[in-house]
């Protein structure tokens, strides 16, 4: 990144277990159960779809890696894996490839790749799909998808890779809205469909969400609020159709949430300094 | 009063030093390292081949000639590498004889600290410099707690040098710089309490609960001009006032996975680590770190403020290149803003915005975020946790130098 060899024999002499390559590998492993369930449910057509997505992502990431003289990370596998679990497998191949290319290039690579961008490539591609080809829907989630993604979710929260604040804020916001609008939302809805999976692997992605604790609360509440805005008039919809645009907009506003947190922190510190 | 730090992180390593103090092996060379004085421009007072006595000035600050650094042992200067006019690499002394300078203990405290070179043990906050000889602080923080991994537990050392420590604290209290606050672990009984002039503050928790940056934050002294000093330096000060001589003695904890007999050693300041570690390591290649594994440095000699030596297995230099990590030296390692980073800084500071500000060299934004209240060691846990492997402590040093108007290193 910067100043790698400012002084010889400089820290870090020791790095935490969760270096970048290991954390992205763990992130990928957490996806495997969800992917396995979906592939078993859908059969070979999904495998072909996954292969096509992988080739597209590999092409763009490989191209950027070559130009920048960098290596590839495990996110080359992560992006197509998440995409396949949410996008509709029946889409024409060219639409899929176009959407993924857009997501990877515009959502991530032009900013410098994962960790440097502020959007999630999968969210960007899926949003592109919804806006460019409005007739299309999303995949029918496999019945056990939520349960399959639960261990990964617990693990990622436990190692503090994803933020429990962000996850909780979204659930609180959605519950509050359900109460206000009178929509029917039971705790069991958390474990139905692709809801939990989308929250954990897209909404809570640390590369595309807020980076301060206060910002994370704001970001989570914003996602919940936007879900209401994008839901059809008669109730609260928690499908990918609503979640994806909400997450996209919330990622765009995440830096603003961080700026709020920074300003409040600076104001408080100055006030304390004066007293 | 006990301050409980609920956050923090304990880095678990093998080879925790035992609470047993032993005399180290005979040390024949000691050195004063230039990296410990990076922000002062030295004016050399000795040259290669000179005989020096223990306590004789080696160099002074070019701009503040009253601030001197003295020899930690008597002997002959055998190596004086001056990298350029503004800094030096190290001054190496081969230890012979027992010549030592006697200091008058009747002159003023400030005067004695200046001539003995012990003044240079004081560190200002903010910025981490040696204070001006006439400066006044609002408080002096004595750090008698260490929560670093494999740290030296101050309790046995303070038990051995209780009288010196006591005298050192009284001397600091007489400097006229506000209260002397002894920051200690809540597990040990109060080290000293003399009403207004010398106070105790007790801290409990995981690292960084033992860092002055955390103490300042908790005691409400952030943004105020204060000085900090380590407990071993207070002992050295006390010794001068009791005996009239400086001793050059230093207690060092030996630890780490490669240490065969981790314990506390009595040795010399700036000791040659190769001699100190004779027969102390397990077989295999060892990386010798002077200081903590989090914020220390690879070195041949003990650093000025270091109280521990960590022995890690050396990382194989020629690792097989794999296609995921790209060419060696051009590793693609971004920073991911995980929540784990939120628990390792003093409470009022936002880690990720600060890390980003430092990484892009935006010193002004870093200052807004409170960087001026931190020193390198405060960011060491971020360096440890961050997925990118960036050394935030080194970046913070550039920022602090910039705030203080020091621009002798060029760049930026």
């Amino acid at each position: 990144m910067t100043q790698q060899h400012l002084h010889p024999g400089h820290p870090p002499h020791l790095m935490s277990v969760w270096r970048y390559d290991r954390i992205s590998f763990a992130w990928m492993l957490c996806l495997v159960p969800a992917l396995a369930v979906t592939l078993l449910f859908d059969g070979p057509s999904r495998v072909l779809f996954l292969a096509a997505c992988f080739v597209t992502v590999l092409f763009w990431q490989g191209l950027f890696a070559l130009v920048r003289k960098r290596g590839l990370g495990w996110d080359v596998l992560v992006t197509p894996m998440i995409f396949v679990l949410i996008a509709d497998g029946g889409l024409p191949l060219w639409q899929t490839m176009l959407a993924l290319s857009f997501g990877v290039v515009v959502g991530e690579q032009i900013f410098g790749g994962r960790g440097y961008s502020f959007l999630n490539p999968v969210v960007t591609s899926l949003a592109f799909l919804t806006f460019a080809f409005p007739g299309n829907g999303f995949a029918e989630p496999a019945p056990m998808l939520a349960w399959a993604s639960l261990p990964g979710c617990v693990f990622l929260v436990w190692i503090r890779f994803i933020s429990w604040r962000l996850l909780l804020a979204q659930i609180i916001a959605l519950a509050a809205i359900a109460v206000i609008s009178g929509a029917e939302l039971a705790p069991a809805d958390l474990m139905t469909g692709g809801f939990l999976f989308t929250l954990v692997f897209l909404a809570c992605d640390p590369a595309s969400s807020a980076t301060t604790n206060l910002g994370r609360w704001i970001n989570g509440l914003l996602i919940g609020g936007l879900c209401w805005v994008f839901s059809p008039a008669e109730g609260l919809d928690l499908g990918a159709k609503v979640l994806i645009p909400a997450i996209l907009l919330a990622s765009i506003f995440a830096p603003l949430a961080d700026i709020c947190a920074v300003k409040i922190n600076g104001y408080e510190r100055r006030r304390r300094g004066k007293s | 009063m006990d301050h409980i730090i609920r956050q923090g992180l304990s880095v678990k390593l093998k080879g925790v030093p035992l609470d047993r103090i032993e005399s180290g092996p005979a040390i024949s060379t000691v050195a004063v390292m230039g990296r410990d004085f990076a922000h002062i421009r030295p004016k050399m007072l000795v040259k290669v081949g000179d005989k020096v006595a223990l306590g004789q000035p080696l160099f002074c600050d070019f701009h503040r000639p009253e601030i001197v650094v003295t020899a930690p042992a008597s002997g002959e200067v055998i190596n004086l590498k001056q990298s350029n006019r503004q800094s030096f690499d190290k001054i190496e002394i081969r230890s012979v004889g027992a010549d030592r300078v006697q200091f008058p203990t009747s002159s003023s405290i400030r005067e004695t600290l200046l001539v003995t070179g012990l003044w240079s043990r004081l560190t200002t906050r903010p910025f981490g410099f040696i204070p001006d000889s006439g400066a006044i602080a609002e408080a002096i923080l004595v750090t008698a707690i260490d929560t670093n991994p494999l740290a030296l537990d101050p309790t046995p050392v303070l038990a051995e040098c209780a009288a010196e420590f006591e005298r050192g604290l009284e001397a600091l209290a007489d400097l006229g710089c506000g209260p002397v606050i002894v920051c200690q672990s809540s597990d040990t009984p109060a080290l000293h309490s003399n009403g207004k002039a010398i106070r105790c503050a007790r801290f409990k928790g995981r690292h960084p609960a033992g860092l002055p940056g955390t103490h300042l934050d908790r005691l409400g002294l952030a943004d105020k001009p204060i000085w900090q000093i380590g407990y071993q330096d207070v002992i050295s000060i006390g010794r001068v006032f009791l005996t009239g001589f400086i001793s050059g003695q230093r207690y060092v904890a030996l630890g780490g996975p490669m240490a065969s007999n981790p314990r506390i050693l009595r040795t010399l300041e700036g000791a040659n680590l190769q001699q100190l570690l004779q027969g102390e390591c397990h077989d295999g290649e060892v990386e010798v770190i002077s200081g903590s594994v989090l914020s220390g440095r690879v070195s041949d000699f003990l650093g000025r403020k270091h109280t521990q030596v960590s022995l890690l297995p050396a990382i194989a230099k020629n690792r097989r290149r794999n296609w995921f990590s790209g060419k060696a030296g051009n590793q693609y390692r971004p920073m991911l803003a995980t929540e784990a980073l939120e628990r390792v800084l003093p409470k009022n500071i936002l880690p990720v915005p600060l890390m980003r500000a430092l990484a892009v060299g935006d010193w002004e934004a870093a200052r807004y975020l409170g960087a001026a209240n931190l020193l390198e060691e405060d960011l060491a846990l971020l360096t440890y946790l961050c997925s990118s492997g960036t050394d935030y402590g080194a970046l913070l040093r550039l920022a602090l130098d910039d705030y203080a108007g020091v621009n002798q290193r060029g760049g930026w």
Side-chain angles (χ1 to χ4, degrees):
Chain A
M1 201 163 169
T2 42
Q3 305 285 329
Q4 286 284 322
H5 293 287
L6 202 68
H7 299 303
H10 71 301
H13 309 293
L14 197 68
M15 278 180 78
S16 126
V17 181
W18 299 115
R19 298 196 310 241
Y20 180 71
D21 49 343
R22 296 206 191 130
I23 194 84
S24 14
F25 185 65
W27 180 240
M28 189 201 72
L29 284 186
C30 289
L31 277 169
V32 167
L35 187 71
V37 166
T38 307
L39 290 185
L40 281 176
F41 177 67
D42 268 20
S45 69
R46 250 332 145 93
V47 180
L48 280 176
F49 185 49
L50 175 64
C53 293
F54 175 65
V55 169
T56 315
V57 174
L58 182 66
F59 172 75
W60 286 112
Q61 293 219 7
L63 187 67
F64 275 89
L66 268 182
V67 171
R68 294 190 171 128
K69 299 195 175 60
R70 275 180 184 164
L72 284 173
W74 291 100
D75 42 318
V76 146
L77 293 174
V78 171
T79 307
M81 279 163 85
I82 303 179
F83 184 82
V84 161
L85 288 178
I86 300 179
D88 184 5
L91 288 175
L93 202 57
W94 68 272
Q95 287 186 7
T96 312
M97 289 180 139
L98 189 65
L100 254 182
S101 304
F102 180 82
V104 169
V105 174
V106 176
E108 187 178 65
Q109 292 299 327
I110 56 167
F111 298 108
R114 183 170 165 75
Y116 298 95
S117 68
F118 64 104
L119 292 173
N120 185 301
V122 180
V123 174
T124 319
S125 335
L126 291 171
F128 180 83
L129 267 182
T130 0
F131 296 133
F133 313 107
N136 294 323
F138 288 95
E140 178 71 19
M144 297 297 283
L145 182 61
W147 290 105
S149 49
L150 191 62
C153 159
V154 172
F155 175 73
L156 291 171
V157 171
W158 179 62
I159 64 166
R160 296 177 180 277
F161 181 69
I162 66 169
S163 163
W164 61 267
R165 291 181 175 86
L166 183 50
L167 194 57
L168 193 64
Q170 296 171 56
I171 294 170
I172 289 174
L174 287 170
I177 287 162
V179 170
I180 294 167
S181 66
E184 280 171 30
L185 193 69
D189 288 347
L190 190 61
M191 298 309 288
T192 47
F195 176 63
L196 182 74
F197 176 81
T198 316
L199 284 201
V200 170
F201 288 94
L202 293 182
C204 291
D205 178 8
S208 61
S209 54
T211 59
T212 52
N213 280 344
L214 179 62
R216 286 182 181 115
W217 285 111
I218 299 175
N219 194 350
L221 296 176
L222 188 62
I223 292 178
L226 286 169
C227 278
W228 195 16
V229 173
F230 293 132
S231 289
E234 58 270 21
L236 194 56
D237 183 0
L238 294 181
K241 198 166 185 158
V242 168
L243 276 175
I244 295 298
I247 294 170
L248 181 74
L249 259 180
S251 308
I252 293 171
F253 283 112
L256 190 64
D258 283 336
I259 288 176
C260 292
V262 165
K263 293 290 172 199
I264 290 172
N265 172 275
Y267 172 75
E268 280 192 342
R269 205 142 20 75
R270 266 151 201 71
R271 206 190 52 185
R272 206 175 304 119
K274 270 182 206 147
S275 65
Chain B
M1 193 170 83
D2 278 20
H3 299 269
I4 296 164
I5 281 102
R6 292 191 194 286
Q7 304 200 321
L9 182 82
S10 51
V11 179
K12 297 240 165 29
L13 284 173
K14 278 189 195 139
V16 177
L18 303 173
D19 277 356
R20 195 176 70 224
I21 303 181
E22 284 180 17
S23 283
I27 303 291
S28 65
T29 60
V30 297
V32 175
M33 304 300 285
R35 290 243 310 263
D36 289 328
F37 301 94
H39 51 268
I40 70 171
R41 185 175 158 191
K43 187 178 167 197
M44 288 298 158
L45 303 173
V46 292
K47 53 185 191 299
V48 177
D50 281 5
K51 293 266 187 294
V52 292
L54 171 64
Q56 182 183 330
L58 293 176
F59 64 90
C60 66
D61 187 342
F62 186 84
H63 300 290
R64 305 175 290 180
E66 67 280 7
I67 293 175
V68 296
V69 173
T70 51
S74 71
E76 182 189 352
V77 178
I78 52 169
N79 192 352
L80 201 166
K81 267 206 229 154
Q82 197 146 11
S83 32
N84 56 47
R85 277 187 55 205
Q86 309 212 323
S87 65
F88 65 100
D89 188 38
K90 66 181 172 214
I91 303 173
E92 205 175 331
I93 298 169
R94 190 199 298 127
S95 158
V96 250
D99 288 349
R100 50 186 189 167
V101 180
Q102 175 150 26
F103 296 103
T105 49
S106 52
S107 48
S108 79
I109 309 277
R110 219 170 257 264
E111 192 66 25
T112 311
L113 290 183
L114 283 166
V115 292
T116 51
L118 291 170
W119 184 265
S120 69
R121 308 294 172 87
L122 291 165
T123 304
T124 63
R125 283 228 178 203
F127 311 134
F129 297 149
I130 299 171
D132 286 341
S133 56
I136 296 287
E138 283 197 16
I140 300 178
L141 242 58
V142 174
T143 312
I145 171 175
D146 200 342
T147 48
N148 272 299
L150 310 174
L152 169 61
D153 177 10
T155 318
V157 175
L158 287 172
E160 205 175 284
C161 308
E164 287 99 327
F165 186 66
E166 181 97 21
R167 185 69 187 87
L169 288 180
E170 280 163 20
L172 288 177
D174 288 345
L175 266 179
C177 289
V180 174
I181 304 173
V182 182
C183 302
Q184 60 167 112
S185 159
S186 63
D187 300 336
T188 49
L191 288 169
H192 198 292
S193 196
N194 175 14
K196 246 181 131 52
I198 304 173
R199 285 203 303 244
C200 273
R202 312 202 318 163
F203 294 88
K204 187 185 179 65
R206 290 175 289 187
H207 196 58
L211 290 181
T214 311
H215 302 160
L216 285 183
D217 189 67
R218 275 302 171 103
L219 297 171
L221 290 169
D223 287 317
K224 304 219 164 74
I226 65 117
W227 297 342
Q228 67 181 63
I229 188 165
Y231 66 100
Q232 294 214 23
D233 299 320
V234 176
I235 291 173
S236 306
I237 291 173
R239 205 165 271 151
V240 168
F241 285 100
L242 287 175
T243 64
F245 297 103
I246 65 170
S247 70
Q249 200 183 65
R250 193 90 177 161
Y251 294 88
V252 170
L254 217 61
M258 294 302 274
S260 58
N261 187 8
R263 64 192 188 286
I264 304 173
L265 287 180
R266 207 181 282 115
T267 184
L268 293 177
E269 284 167 9
N272 184 332
L273 292 181
Q274 222 167 12
Q275 292 170 357
L276 184 71
L277 298 175
Q278 202 87 58
E280 298 282 354
C281 307
H282 285 304
D283 291 339
E285 254 194 272
V286 182
E287 190 168 50
V288 178
I289 295 158
S290 170
S292 138
V293 284
L294 296 175
S295 56
R297 55 172 190 242
V298 176
S299 174
D300 295 333
F301 292 90
L302 190 64
R304 182 175 65 129
K305 286 179 185 162
H306 294 157
T307 58
Q308 62 180 123
V309 176
S310 316
L311 305 175
L312 292 183
I315 306 160
K317 293 260 155 52
N318 304 316
R319 249 180 311 178
R320 210 153 41 89
R321 185 194 152 172
N322 66 34
W323 68 285
F324 270 125
S325 65
K327 272 187 206 153
N330 190 12
Q331 291 205 342
Y332 166 61
R333 293 193 297 196
M335 179 191 112
L336 288 177
T338 63
E339 210 188 35
L341 300 166
E342 301 285 342
R343 299 169 62 83
V344 297
L345 279 191
K347 213 174 166 190
N348 298 318
I349 291 173
L350 298 172
V352 177
L354 177 65
M355 291 158 85
R356 290 198 168 147
L358 289 175
V360 298
D362 187 349
W363 304 152
E364 218 146 291
R367 185 162 207 174
Y368 183 82
L369 289 159
N373 282 316
L374 299 169
L375 288 186
E376 290 98 316
E377 57 193 14
D378 294 316
L379 296 189
L381 271 173
L382 286 184
T383 303
Y384 168 77
L385 284 178
C386 178
S387 57
S388 71
T390 307
D391 182 2
Y392 294 99
L395 294 172
L396 177 71
R397 179 35 67 199
L398 295 177
L400 292 176
D401 285 355
D402 184 74
Y403 303 150
V406 179
N407 194 18
Q408 44 182 321
R409 298 231 134 198
W412 299 88

